[in-house]
Amino acid sequence: MKIVKSFYRIYLRKTELEGCKKFYMALQGVDRPHHEFYYEAFRLDIVGIGSVLLIAGDKADTERFEATKLTCLVDDLDAVRAYFIQTGVKIIDDIKVVPSGRNLRAMSPDGTIAEYVEHSDDFKRKMAGNAYD
């Protein structure tokens, strides 16, 4: 079990998304996001660029997620969950299927709420070649 990559979450409105994508791609020297998809269930555009995860939607759609400050990409979500149970970490949302694979949300002992996600093989195939750099 390990964290493969961490993403700092930035919440914004859909009207700000294109400008922010251009900014973070130029800043990190990439010509396209590592991954980009629409999360229909929550009406959110999700864009991963380097260590930044842009989450765009109407205020009402992003509000329920804004307490979550970090996304950690892990290699084994079941092992992470077992570790959390063993160590008493509070699981806020248990494992569920999401467009990128499977995730859960938990609160670390310092109070930070983070998403832990394991990407599916299908999702990995769709990502840019440098997604895990």
Side-chain angles (χ1 to χ4, degrees):
M1 161 191 81
K2 69 178 179 175
I3 293 176
V4 177
K5 186 169 186 159
S6 297
F7 298 93
Y8 176 75
R9 289 173 160 228
I10 298 174
Y11 297 95
L12 50 123
R13 304 294 69 87
K14 289 183 184 245
T15 57
E16 303 167 310
L17 183 58
E18 286 307 312
C20 288
K21 279 172 45 177
K22 289 176 185 175
F23 172 78
Y24 284 106
M25 287 187 301
L27 185 64
Q28 298 184 56
V30 298
D31 61 354
R32 68 181 175 121
H34 299 131
H35 61 275
E36 184 171 11
F37 63 93
Y38 181 66
Y39 196 167
E40 188 172 347
F42 295 106
R43 298 179 301 277
L44 298 172
D45 288 298
I46 312 290
V47 182
I49 304 168
S51 296
V52 173
L53 192 64
L54 303 175
I55 302 172
D58 294 337
K59 181 68 173 164
D61 295 326
T62 62
E63 268 183 332
R64 76 176 297 253
F65 296 101
E66 290 178 5
T68 304
K69 303 298 183 193
L70 177 70
T71 292
C72 297
L73 176 63
V74 299
D75 65 345
D76 185 344
L77 189 61
D78 294 311
V80 169
R81 182 183 184 277
Y83 173 74
F84 287 166
I85 290 170
Q86 175 188 4
T87 59
V89 169
K90 181 180 179 182
I91 296 173
I92 296 169
D93 293 316
D94 212 340
I95 294 176
K96 67 181 176 301
V97 174
V98 295
S100 59
R102 301 180 316 138
N103 80 347
L104 67 78
R105 282 189 326 134
M107 182 184 294
S108 65
D110 64 16
T112 300
I113 297 174
E115 171 196 33
Y116 297 84
V117 63
E118 181 180 349
H119 287 163
S120 67
D121 289 338
D122 184 53
F123 187 76
K124 289 177 189 176
R125 282 190 290 278
K126 296 175 185 174
M127 293 192 322
N130 59 348
Y132 295 103
D133 292 345

